[in-house]
Structures are given as C-alpha cells and as structure tokens.
Amino acid sequence: MILVTGGAGYIGSHYVLEERARHRDVLVLDDLSRGHREAVLDAPLVTANLNDRRALDELFTAHPIEAVVHFAAFTYVGESVAQPARYYRNNVAGTLTLLEAMRDHGVRVLVFSSSCATYGQPEYVPLDERHAQRPISPYGETKFATERMIEAFGNAYGLRYALLRYFNAAGADAEGRIGELHEPETHLIPLILQVASGRRESLQVFGTDYPTPDGTCIRDYIHVEDLVAAHSLALERLMGGAAQGIYNLGTENGHSVCDVIDAARRITGRRVRVEETARRPGDPARLVASAALARSELGWRPKHDLGDSVSSAWRWEQGRRYGAR
Ligand code: UDP
C-alpha cells in the first residue's frame, strides 16, 4: 500500500487517481486545510496533520504501508514571506515528523515533491539538477531544507528516496473529474481561464520589461498527468532497489506569459482582458528545465504540451465539480 500525503491537493489528487486506475492500493493522508475532500473521490482518506505523530503511528500500525509519496505542503511564495513560521512548521517540521514515523515503522521508500524554487535565480537555462540551490523565498527554503533532511535520513537510516523538482504544474484530469483549485488562486493558467469564463474581470501581467523576446516571463508548464507519471516511475525505481534519485520535471520548452494568454484565447475562443502591471518581486525572467536525467534514468517522456494543459484546465474551469463559484 502507498501512503499519499496531500492526496486531496492539486497534484496529489491526480496521482491518487492514476495509481487507482492502475489498481494500486493507496491511502490518502490530508488535513484538508488546503486540499478538497471531493478531490480524493472514493479513495480511502485519513484526515490528519503531518505533525500529528499519534495519528501517523496509528496509520502505520494499521496499514501495510510500503512507500510514501509526499505531496502535503503549503505552496504560496507570497504567504511564505509573510508567515514563514507557518511554512517551516508545516513543510519542514511536518516532514520531519513523517520521516521519524517512517523510520520507526520501518518504511524506507519516499518520493518527495520538491520544486525548481529551490534553485532561486537561475545562473543558466535550461536548469539541470547540478545547478546551485539558492532559494529566494521562505517557500523555496522549506523545500530545500526538506531535501537536505531527506538526504540525511538516507545516509543515516537507509531511507531510499526520490526528490522531484517540479517546474510549473498545469492542466487537469482529461475526464474533468478533478483539477486545479487553489483559494485564493494565484497561478497563471487558472487565472487566465477565470477571465475567459467571465468569473474575473482581467488578468494582470506582472512585468513586460523582462529580457525575453516579448518582455514577459518564460516558464516551463508541465502537465499534471506527466508529473504524476514521473512519480510512478520514480517509485518503481526505488521499489526495484535504487537508493536515490533527483530529477527536474519539466517539458524543456519555455512559454512566455503572452504565449499562454494567446493559447488560452485560441482554445477558449473567448476574450481575455489583460492589464500590464509591475513585476512581481522574486520572479526570475526565465525558468526552463533540463529533464535529461528523468528521461535517461526513469524513461520519462512528457506526452502533453501547453495546448493540452490549457485545454484540460479549460474543461475543468467550465465543469468544475467542487469549490465555491
Ligand atoms: N503571472 C502573471 N499574472 C498573474 C499570475 C502570474 O503575469 O496573475 C506570471 C508570473 O509572473 C510568472 C508566470 O505568470 O511569470 C507564472 O506564474 P505562476 O504564479 O503561475 O507560477 P510561478 O512561476 O510563480 O511558480
């Protein structure tokens, strides 16, 4: 059985759906502080916080957990600046509690959701896994600190682990059962689609004076189903005996904010009103992955492009089954 922390969140819920489609036994652990009960569908759910050691002990005692896929975390950069204690408590201390419980219950396999935010301002692009890690936000610091902690548990206690550094997760389940739903929403694609659907007046474009061809920031938007596939492959590799792996997960293609707006206009056939505003502090001009290692070691091949991400997110936006409207 696989324990999926944060399985009610955006990426975690898509992972649960995929593993269940493959008839894998999964158990979701989520405190539902940010996740959505509906996103779990009918998978088994334990509602508890990672820092609740007693709940973890009960869960590891009651279920034959072989591996943990750990998504649970707070993920807002701006909020992490205003409330760092909350981020360290939830992301770092929560993972420490989880790792100690895993160690004490003899669970030795972990797949961890990390982030390209651990790199900070890129010194070169595309970014490979050897790029220096100098995070520039408390959020990025929590992911970086957690990576180091996991490595130390690997060295000291024999934990086998994969650290998956996501670029920009995008898109939704092809059948529209689940999708991205953050409250408040801060991510580019859902915000554009909320403008297209008339739920929001306009999109603010954060900065048009970056050193990029159209002046807007470039990101690597990776479809959530491709991200999920990488977790399954990383887990298989660890279950096969691998000690560790660190992988960037991106398409290796960069798209500017203007490119994404154009794609959304084309796919939705709707007007998208934009407002050019100042840069958002801390946004690097260009973040694009080199995913060569995930390709060679995991055999990972992203199947979806930006158009697939926008069109599946649009289907979700139009038929959303949970969350306030
Ligand atoms: N962005 C924007 N307007 C918004 C939200 C985002 O122009 O309302 C830009 C942001 O500056 C970045 C890109 O869109 O260059 C992706 O931002 P998002 O917050 O989705 O992801 P991030 O790259 O920060 O993880």
Side-chain angles (χ1 to χ4, degrees), residues 77 168 186-189 191 203-207 210 217-219 221 257 280 283-284 287:
V77 170
N168 287 59
T186 63
H187 293 110
L188 181 65
I189 293 176
L191 287 175
L203 176 87
Q204 295 192 329
V205 176
F206 296 147
Y210 284 97
C217 285
I218 290 177
R219 295 288 179 274
Y221 296 91
V257 173
R280 185 172 66 177
D283 269 341
L287 286 173

Side-chain angles (χ1 to χ4, degrees), residues 75 77 115-117 139 166-169 180 185-192 200 202-207 210 216-221 255-258 260-261 275 277-287:
T75 61
V77 170
S115 169
C116 67
Y139 165 70
Y166 310 160
F167 281 65
N168 287 59
E180 183 169 12
E185 191 50 77
T186 63
H187 293 110
L188 181 65
I189 293 176
L191 287 175
I192 294 174
R200 193 178 285 266
S202 64
L203 176 87
Q204 295 192 329
V205 176
F206 296 147
Y210 284 97
T216 64
C217 285
I218 290 177
R219 295 288 179 274
D220 184 337
Y221 296 91
H255 295 285
S256 71
V257 173
C258 290
V260 179
I261 295 167
E275 219 182 304
T277 63
R279 292 182 179 195
R280 185 172 66 177
D283 269 341
R286 188 189 294 261
L287 286 173

Side-chain angles (χ1 to χ4, degrees), residues 116-139:
C116 67
T118 59
Y119 295 120
Q121 287 289 346
E123 286 160 18
Y124 57 85
V125 173
L127 287 122
D128 57 30
E129 293 81 357
R130 287 184 305 273
H131 188 285
Q133 288 177 292
R134 294 194 196 88
I136 53 172
S137 70
Y139 165 70

Side-chain angles (χ1 to χ4, degrees), residues 25-298:
D25 217 4
V26 300
L27 177 67
V28 174
L29 172 67
D30 200 299
D31 68 359
L32 300 178
S33 62
R34 301 275 160 107
H36 307 278
R37 184 182 290 277
E38 300 92 328
V40 177
L41 301 174
D42 60 350
L45 167 69
V46 172
T47 308
N49 185 270
L50 284 177
N51 278 302
D52 184 345
R53 176 62 200 253
R54 189 190 295 231
L56 294 183
D57 283 336
E58 281 174 16
L59 181 158
F60 281 114
T61 305
H63 302 279
I65 308 287
E66 296 161 279
V68 178
V69 182
H70 177 33
F71 295 95
F74 289 157
T75 61
Y76 292 121
V77 170
E79 187 181 62
S80 78
V81 175
Q83 303 180 46
R86 222 172 150 196
Y87 273 67
Y88 278 90
R89 171 68 57 201
N90 194 54
N91 296 3
V92 181
T95 305
L96 176 57
T97 309
L98 173 69
L99 293 179
E100 286 176 327
M102 288 175 65
R103 180 198 57 194
D104 296 347
H105 291 271
V107 181
R108 304 217 185 284
V109 175
L110 177 80
V111 178
F112 174 60
S113 301
S114 190
S115 169
C116 67
T118 59
Y119 295 120
Q121 287 289 346
E123 286 160 18
Y124 57 85
V125 173
L127 287 122
D128 57 30
E129 293 81 357
R130 287 184 305 273
H131 188 285
Q133 288 177 292
R134 294 194 196 88
I136 53 172
S137 70
Y139 165 70
E141 292 282 7
T142 65
K143 289 289 176 184
F144 181 56
T146 304
E147 285 196 0
R148 295 292 79 75
M149 198 163 64
I150 291 169
E151 286 175 349
F153 270 65
N155 292 332
Y157 311 122
L159 179 71
R160 307 203 305 278
Y161 61 88
L163 309 178
L164 304 184
R165 296 182 185 148
Y166 310 160
F167 281 65
N168 287 59
D173 167 45
E175 293 176 36
R177 290 165 291 184
I178 56 175
E180 183 169 12
L181 180 57
H182 297 108
E183 284 159 359
E185 191 50 77
T186 63
H187 293 110
L188 181 65
I189 293 176
L191 287 175
I192 294 174
L193 297 177
Q194 288 177 13
V195 177
S197 71
R199 288 207 296 133
R200 193 178 285 266
E201 191 66 18
S202 64
L203 176 87
Q204 295 192 329
V205 176
F206 296 147
T208 53
D209 58 349
Y210 284 97
T212 59
D214 64 27
T216 64
C217 285
I218 290 177
R219 295 288 179 274
D220 184 337
Y221 296 91
I222 177 75
H223 197 293
V224 66
E225 290 183 346
D226 287 323
L227 278 183
V228 158
H231 289 70
S232 303
L233 291 167
L235 183 58
E236 270 167 37
R237 188 166 174 276
L238 295 172
M239 295 302 243
Q244 58 96 3
I246 302 175
Y247 306 103
N248 283 346
L249 299 179
T251 61
E252 307 189 312
N253 293 312
H255 295 285
S256 71
V257 173
C258 290
D259 291 339
V260 179
I261 295 167
D262 288 345
R265 285 178 174 144
R266 197 177 59 247
I267 286 163
T268 65
R270 304 280 182 90
R271 291 163 59 88
V272 177
R273 212 167 83 83
V274 302
E275 219 182 304
E276 294 180 2
T277 63
R279 292 182 179 195
R280 185 172 66 177
D283 269 341
R286 188 189 294 261
L287 286 173
V288 179
S290 161
L293 206 56
R295 266 189 278 123
S296 63
E297 285 192 4
L298 299 178

